[in-house]
């Protein structure tokens, strides 16, 4: 039987609707939630992501500002810009679009963002909070992926979850979130032996690798929830890590690319920004 599609367009619209209502409530108190995105250089993919983030803010009634810095910006200039935004009361969320040009130190820049304005959830304080099960900002992509998993209505406690990929921005926080849901979590990476041995046991399989067609039907347990985080370009077309056409005949649920996790990432960024505005307004810094 063909898998049910986890529709990122519909689910992200649901999240943005709720965010919009919270934005309206803040506006009644004279506060407009604001997101600042810093874009260094002219990477074409980053340009598209930044444009989509601006559009998301518009849809939710939020203020957005894009700060464009030239490719040859120094570390000091970048960090000064972050400091200005940290101090700006119109800005509740700050995001540095990654990847940065090679000469810049990504980790040092992210550390400069005030943790309460770190709507990407990449600051060490927020990463640590997630690790410890404390309150903090959860990175948008894994948060969005979890929302999609919840939308299936399946019980997660005690289920086998396999995450392929161990990056700080997707794989690791995804694993933490699934562990928080009482799943038994296995994290696979490029040195994992017999990858399919692991993936075939997964009730929930999340792929965050960045290789088109990487997850094939023989790697998937019948009925599994398959979440495709990958964004790849093949012959000018965007596709995920999962060989969608064959895996959909085995999985119980599957996310498409495009129209899947990417949409949820933007919606969760909006959600994290309104969270930040509410926290700052209530003095919970
Ligand atoms: P990284 O390149 O940082 O991480 C990729 C991971 O895949 C690494 O942990 C790597 O292992 C693992 N890997 C690579 N080859 C294999 C292999 N043969 N077998 C098993 N594991 C392997 O990427 P990101 O986490 O930043 O992103 C992953 C994908 O998700 C990309 O396509 C990216 O574009 C996409 N993405 C999508 C978003 C969205 O909104 N939908 C948001 C963010 C990212 P190792 O650690 O050993 O090198």
């Amino acid at each position: 039987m063909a898998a049910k599609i986890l529709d990122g367009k519909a689910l992200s619209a649901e999240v943005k609707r709720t965010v919009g209502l919270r934005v309206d409530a803040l506006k009644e108190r004279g506060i407009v939630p604001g997101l600042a995105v810093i874009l260094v250089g002219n990477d074409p993919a980053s340009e598209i992501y930044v444009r989509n983030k601006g559009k998301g803010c518009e849809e939710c009634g939020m203020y957005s500002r894009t700060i464009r810095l030239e490719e040859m910006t120094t570390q000091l200039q970048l960090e000064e810009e972050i400091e200005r935004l940290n101090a700006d009361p119109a800005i509740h969320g700050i995001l540095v679009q990654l990847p940065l040009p090679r000469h810049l130190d990504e980790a040092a820049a992210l550390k400069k963002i005030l943790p309460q304005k770190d709507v990407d959830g990449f600051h060490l304080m927020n990463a640590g909070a997630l690790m410890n099960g404390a309150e903090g900002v959860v990175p948008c992509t894994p948060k969005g992926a979890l929302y999609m998993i919840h939308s299936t209505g399946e019980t997660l406690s005690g289920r086998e979850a396999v995450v392929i990929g161990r990056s700080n921005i997707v794989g690791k926080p995804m694993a933490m979130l699934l562990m928080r849901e009482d799943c038994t979590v296995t994290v696979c990476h490029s040195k994992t032996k017999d990858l399919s041995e692991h993936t075939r046991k997964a009730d929930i399989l999340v792929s965050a690798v960045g290789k088109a067609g990487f997850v094939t039907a023989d790697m998937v347990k019948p009925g599994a929830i398959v979440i495709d985080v990958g964004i790849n370009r093949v012959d000018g077309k965007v596709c995920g890590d999962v060989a969608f056409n064959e895996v959909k005949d085995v999985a119980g649920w599957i996310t498409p690319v495009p129209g899947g996790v990417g949409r949820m990432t933007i919606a969760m960024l909006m959600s994290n920004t309104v969270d930040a505005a509410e926290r700052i307004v209530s003095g919970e810094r």
Side-chain angles (χ1 to χ4, degrees):
M1 206 178 85
K4 294 186 192 122
I5 306 293
L6 292 166
D7 179 359
K9 199 172 169 190
L11 292 169
S12 64
E14 190 176 284
V15 173
K16 284 190 274 186
R17 242 189 327 273
T18 312
V19 170
L21 295 175
R22 290 165 64 196
V23 170
D24 290 345
L26 283 169
K27 282 182 173 170
E28 277 174 23
R29 298 168 60 190
I31 296 120
V32 182
L35 172 70
V37 178
I38 301 179
L39 176 60
V40 187
N42 333 293
D43 175 59
S46 293
E47 291 274 357
I48 298 172
Y49 296 141
V50 169
R51 209 175 316 133
N52 288 340
K53 287 165 188 174
K55 257 197 246 167
C57 284
E58 214 174 290
E59 282 175 62
C60 294
M62 288 196 239
Y63 167 66
S64 77
R65 190 190 299 167
T66 304
I67 293 107
R68 290 173 179 278
L69 301 177
E70 49 186 52
E71 182 85 22
M72 287 325 293
T73 298
T74 64
Q75 186 75 23
L76 182 66
Q77 286 168 325
L78 172 61
E79 292 184 10
E80 280 173 353
E81 193 56 59
I82 294 171
E83 300 281 12
R84 266 194 289 280
L85 295 169
N86 280 341
D88 187 337
I91 298 300
H92 304 92
I94 303 170
L95 180 157
V96 176
Q97 184 64 44
L98 302 179
L100 288 171
R102 281 170 179 273
H103 67 282
L104 294 172
D105 181 342
E106 221 162 81
L110 295 178
K111 232 159 80 180
K112 284 281 164 194
I113 301 174
L114 278 180
Q116 61 270 30
K117 290 195 178 186
D118 166 41
V119 283
D120 251 343
F122 296 163
H123 191 286
L124 287 181
M125 285 260 295
N126 286 316
L130 180 59
M131 165 101 186
N132 281 10
E135 278 284 309
V137 183
V138 174
C140 305
T141 302
K143 190 175 175 180
L146 185 65
Y147 189 97
M148 296 179 109
I149 295 168
H150 276 307
S151 78
T152 63
E154 297 271 334
T155 303
L156 303 188
S157 179
R159 309 295 290 276
E160 293 288 334
V162 172
V163 179
I164 320 176
R166 56 173 164 180
S167 70
N168 291 337
I169 64 171
V170 189
K172 281 184 205 156
M174 188 75 242
M176 289 295 158
L177 288 176
L178 288 164
M179 211 186 305
R180 227 196 231 182
E181 298 291 328
D182 296 328
C183 291
T184 302
V185 183
T186 304
V187 180
C188 300
H189 46 76
S190 67
K191 307 292 184 295
T192 299
K193 301 234 186 320
D194 298 325
L195 180 64
S196 320
E197 286 283 306
H198 296 284
T199 59
R200 272 198 297 266
K201 290 185 190 138
D203 300 307
I204 300 152
L205 178 61
V206 180
S207 182
V209 174
K211 290 185 179 161
F214 185 77
V215 176
T216 46
D218 57 315
M219 294 167 73
V220 175
K221 179 176 175 177
I225 300 171
V226 178
I227 306 290
D228 190 353
V229 178
I231 298 180
N232 309 293
R233 280 177 183 80
V234 176
D235 301 330
K237 276 196 174 162
V238 173
C239 63
D241 290 346
V242 176
F244 184 89
N245 284 333
E246 56 179 77
V247 172
K248 75 171 178 2
D249 293 332
V250 181
W253 305 83
I254 190 167
T255 63
V257 179
V261 177
R263 295 254 184 180
M264 299 306 291
T265 298
I266 304 278
M268 291 306 166
L269 176 64
M270 303 302 115
S271 173
N272 281 353
T273 304
V274 80
D275 283 350
E278 286 173 352
R279 268 198 313 272
I280 290 169
V281 166
S282 69
E284 248 183 72
R285 294 196 141 242

